Amino acid sequence: MAIRLNHSVIPVTVKLGAPARVSARSSLPFSVGDWRGVSLFSGARPLVSAKVKLKSTEDRVPIEDSNDQLIDEEFLQIEERDFAGTASVPVYVMLPLGVIDMNSEVVESEELLDQLRTLKLVNVDGVMVDCWWGIVEAHTPQVYNWTGYKKLFQMIRELGLKIQVVMSFHECGGNVGDDVTIQLPEWVRKIGQSNPDIYFTDRAGRRNTECLTWGIDKQRVLRGRTALEVYFDYMRSFRVEFDEFFEDKIITEIEVGLGPCGELRYPSYPAQYGWKYPGIGEFQCYDKYLMKSLEEAAEVRGHSFWGRGPDNTESYNSTPHGTGFFRDGGDYDSYYGRFFLNWYSRVLIDHGDRVLAMANLAFEGNCIAAKLSGIHWWYKTASHAAELTAGFYNSSNRDGYGPIAAMLKKHDAALNFTCVELRTLAQHEDFPEALADPEGLVWQVLNAAWDVSIPVASENALPCYDREGYNKILENAKPLNDPDGRHLSCFTYLRLNPTLMESQNFKEFERFVKRMHGEAVPDLGLAPGTQETESE
C-alpha cells in the first residue's frame, strides 16, 4: 500500500540526495503550511502517525527507515492528537461584514441561504452577525431600522442555527479583511465635523473616525446624550425588537462592541495612517476629553507636569529599541512612565466596566461577552510596546490581563480572544524582527480568564483554511491534560466567504468541526488530500 497507518511513531532518517537548491515549499504537492510544525503531544489522547506518499516526482529525497533500508517511495510522516471523545466545543461562523446593506436589506439572500444550509449540513452550531450602528441608527438619533436583521434572523432560525450577535459601535472599512465600508451614523459624523474631539486622536492631532473616544462616555455631546446613553438605547432597542429570538434561545450571546473592530483596545495601529506590521503603534489619548482626564489624574497624583503624553515614543512603525520610551530600561518603567501607563490602561478598563454594566441592564441576564485583540508582536521584549499603545499594561514585570478578566467577572461577561490559530515558530520564520509570541500570549490570556472562572471563547485572527491552523486552534480549545478539564466555551470562525466554500477547503473545515465536537475522523494523521489508498 502507498499509505500505511500506524499507532506508534516510526523514526525515519532523511538523507538529502539533491543539492541545497531543493526547496521544501516548492517540491511538496501541498503547502508546507498544511503540516509544518504540528506539535507533539503526550498523555491520555493517543497520537496517530502516518507515512504519506508524496505525489510529486520532482526533487525526490530518499528516506531510510529505522533498519537503514531504503524506502523506494517518498513519504511524509505527520502527527495529530486524537480528539475523539473530548468535550464538544460549539462552532459558529461569522457572516460576511456586508450581509446587510445600507438600506437594511439582506444582500444576495438566496446565495446566503444555500451557504447556511451547507453549514448546517456539517453540524455548525450557529453564526455570528454584526449589527452595525451605522446602518440601524443611520440618520436620526433613536430612530432604529432593524428590518434587514429581522429577515436575516428569521432565515437563520428556520434552518435551526443559533446566533451570536455583535453590537458593532465601530466603523467597518480600512482594517485587514474589511471588504465593505460602513461608517458611523450620519448624525454622529455631523457632530464630529464641528467637534472632532469625539474621536480618538494621536499625538500629531490626527483623528480616527473608526469609533468614539472613551473620553465622551459621560459627556453630553451627542445631541444631548452621553455615549453611554447612546449605546444603552441602541442595545435596549435591539432587546425589545428581537424578544422572540431571546425567548426561543436562538440568540445565545451578545458580544458588546467596546472599541475599534469591536475590540476592547485603543485604535493604536491604524492602517489609514501608514501603520504596517510589526510597528509598535502610537498612544491615542490626545482628544481634549482624555487629555483633561490625564491632567486631572496628574493633579491628584501631585505632579501636574505629568498631565501630558510621552514625547519620546516616535511613530507608528518604530521599533521598541528605536525609542526612548519603550527601549529596555526606557521611560516606560520610570515613575512618570508607570503613572501614565496606569492611567492609560485604567481608562480602557473603566470604559469596559461602564459599557458592560449598561449591557447587562439592556439584556436582562442574557449572556454577554467582550472581545480582546491578540497583540502578539514585541511580546518577547521587556516593554511589550505594541500592547502598551493598545492599552494593555502588560510589560514583562506586570500582568496586564488579570485586571481586565476581573472586570469581566464583575459583569458575568465571557472573554472572546483572537489569534488562537497562530504559531510562534511560524511568526518567527516570517517576521523574526517582530519578536512575536502568539502562543505565549494566548496562554497568558486564557489562564487570566480561567483563573477568575469566566467563560473563554475564541476566534481566528486571520483567514484559516489549512490543517496546521486548525490543529493549533484545537490545541488551544482543549488543552492537553488540564487537571480541571478546562476548554473553550465556543469557537467562532472568521469568516463565511467563497474561499471557505471551495471543495477542499470546506472538507478541511468539516473535519475541523467534527474534531471540535469530539467526534472521530477517519483520516487522522494523514496529510490533506492523501486519504485514498493505492495498491502497490
Side-chain angles (χ1 to χ4, degrees):
M1 302 292 290
I3 296 178
R4 298 189 285 277
L5 282 175
N6 308 289
H7 287 276
S8 61
V9 178
I10 300 176
V12 297
T13 302
V14 179
K15 292 184 177 179
L16 294 179
R21 63 178 180 83
V22 175
S23 167
R25 291 180 183 268
S26 62
S27 62
L28 294 179
F30 49 85
S31 169
V32 172
D34 290 338
W35 59 269
R36 182 191 63 204
V38 179
S39 295
L40 306 184
F41 288 86
S42 60
R45 303 308 306 172
L47 282 169
V48 174
S49 68
K51 290 183 176 179
V52 182
K53 180 177 179 179
L54 298 182
K55 296 177 181 177
S56 172
T57 58
E58 186 179 353
D59 288 331
R60 290 183 174 226
V61 293
I63 299 177
E64 293 184 358
D65 65 14
S66 57
N67 297 320
D68 291 331
Q69 293 177 333
L70 189 66
I71 299 175
D72 59 353
E73 299 287 357
E74 287 70 27
F75 293 91
L76 177 66
Q77 180 173 291
I78 65 172
E79 297 178 339
E80 291 187 294
R81 181 176 156 200
D82 182 4
F83 288 95
T86 58
S88 178
V89 175
V91 177
Y92 287 71
V93 175
M94 296 184 201
L95 294 192
L97 293 167
V99 67
I100 303 294
D101 64 21
M102 292 303 298
N103 297 316
S104 197
E105 295 292 339
V106 181
V107 175
E108 298 179 351
S109 58
E110 290 302 317
E111 180 182 352
L112 176 63
L113 193 58
D114 287 342
Q115 292 174 332
L116 292 174
R117 288 194 187 104
T118 303
L119 293 179
K120 180 63 178 177
L121 284 174
V122 299
N123 294 318
V124 165
D125 295 272
V127 295
M128 175 179 274
V129 180
D130 284 277
C131 288
W132 294 102
W133 183 31
I135 292 176
V136 176
E137 197 181 358
H139 304 294
T140 307
Q142 295 180 281
V143 175
Y144 307 102
N145 182 359
W146 297 106
T147 306
Y149 287 104
K150 284 190 172 181
K151 292 178 182 176
L152 175 63
F153 283 27
Q154 186 60 37
M155 288 169 52
I156 296 168
R157 175 165 65 179
E158 289 175 355
L159 291 174
L161 293 166
K162 303 292 187 181
I163 308 173
Q164 295 173 327
V165 180
V166 183
M167 298 284 99
S168 297
F169 296 115
H170 60 285
E171 179 182 87
C172 180
N175 289 304
V176 175
D178 288 354
D179 53 4
V180 295
T181 298
I182 303 170
Q183 296 178 297
L184 297 188
E186 180 184 12
W187 63 272
V188 172
R189 286 182 278 125
K190 286 182 179 178
I191 295 171
Q193 290 173 2
S194 58
N195 181 13
D197 283 289
I198 67 171
Y199 302 122
F200 282 107
T201 307
D202 66 15
R203 186 172 182 81
R206 290 171 290 198
R207 314 290 185 173
N208 189 317
T209 60
E210 188 174 353
C211 61
L212 299 179
T213 173
W214 304 331
I216 64 168
D217 278 358
K218 297 181 178 181
Q219 301 294 324
R220 296 192 177 279
V221 295
L222 300 174
R223 301 277 187 92
R225 290 186 294 166
T226 67
L228 282 179
E229 290 169 340
V230 169
Y231 301 146
F232 174 79
D233 290 343
Y234 182 87
M235 291 187 286
R236 189 60 188 167
S237 172
F238 177 86
R239 176 63 184 86
V240 171
E241 290 291 331
F242 291 86
D243 179 68
E244 62 182 295
F245 293 92
F246 284 99
E247 294 300 317
D248 294 341
K249 308 299 182 184
I250 302 301
I251 295 174
T252 58
E253 182 180 86
I254 304 291
E255 184 180 290
V256 183
L258 297 171
C261 296
E263 299 166 341
L264 181 59
R265 65 171 176 86
Y266 290 86
S268 57
Y269 47 98
Q272 63 179 310
Y273 293 132
W275 175 85
K276 297 184 187 305
Y277 182 84
I280 58 175
E282 291 191 26
F283 292 114
Q284 304 289 315
C285 57
Y286 294 94
D287 62 85
K288 67 182 181 183
Y289 302 103
L290 286 182
M291 287 306 295
K292 181 180 179 182
S293 169
L294 176 58
E295 290 165 2
E296 291 173 349
E299 288 283 354
V300 170
R301 182 68 172 78
H303 302 290
S304 58
F305 56 94
W306 282 358
R308 54 174 177 77
D311 57 8
N312 56 349
T313 56
E314 303 306 324
S315 60
Y316 286 108
N317 292 313
S318 297
T319 61
H321 47 273
T323 74
F325 192 81
F326 298 115
R327 64 177 175 81
D328 288 356
D331 290 344
Y332 80 92
D333 205 27
S334 66
Y335 289 112
Y336 159 73
R338 291 195 295 271
F339 159 78
F340 173 79
L341 292 171
N342 266 309
W343 169 82
Y344 191 74
S345 60
R346 176 48 55 184
V347 169
L348 177 147
I349 293 172
D350 287 347
H351 171 72
D353 186 27
R354 290 189 290 260
V355 177
L356 292 178
M358 294 294 101
N360 271 327
L361 285 175
F363 296 118
E364 301 172 331
N366 290 284
C367 296
I368 63 171
K371 180 179 175 183
L372 287 186
S373 55
I375 313 289
H376 55 81
W377 52 105
W378 306 115
Y379 189 84
K380 291 183 177 180
T381 62
S383 64
H384 291 226
E387 290 168 89
L388 296 185
T389 58
F392 307 127
Y393 193 177
N394 194 50
S395 54
S396 59
N397 57 352
R398 287 182 56 94
D399 174 16
Y401 300 101
I404 296 173
M407 179 271 292
L408 298 178
K409 174 70 172 178
K410 173 183 173 182
H411 300 288
D412 293 320
L415 168 64
N416 187 10
F417 193 60
T418 63
C419 82
V420 290
E421 83 284 13
L422 301 180
R423 291 183 178 276
T424 297
L425 178 60
Q427 290 295 308
H428 178 71
E429 291 174 348
D430 294 336
F431 297 96
E433 71 280 9
L435 295 174
D437 187 6
E439 293 181 48
L441 175 63
V442 168
W443 187 244
Q444 180 186 358
V445 174
L446 295 191
N447 279 280
W450 282 331
D451 284 349
V452 296
S453 301
I454 60 174
V456 184
S458 196
E459 63 188 49
N460 48 309
L462 300 171
C464 178
Y465 309 107
D466 62 83
R467 192 163 300 180
E468 179 193 16
Y470 288 137
N471 280 336
K472 188 60 192 174
I473 293 168
L474 282 155
E475 291 173 24
N476 286 318
K478 307 177 186 187
L480 185 67
N481 293 335
D482 187 291
D484 302 308
R486 299 177 300 188
H487 54 80
L488 293 183
S489 59
C490 69
F491 174 79
T492 305
Y493 177 86
L494 180 155
R495 89 181 47 246
L496 181 62
N497 61 47
T499 305
L500 173 64
M501 306 307 288
E502 292 174 5
S503 176
Q504 184 57 43
N505 288 342
F506 199 74
K507 286 179 182 177
E508 280 295 313
F509 177 73
E510 179 181 7
R511 182 183 189 272
F512 165 71
V513 172
K514 287 181 178 179
R515 300 178 77 201
M516 288 291 277
H517 286 166
E519 301 173 21
V521 292
D523 60 344
L524 194 67
L526 293 181
T530 59
Q531 291 88 338
E532 315 82 24
T533 60
E534 299 173 357
S535 299
E536 289 184 341

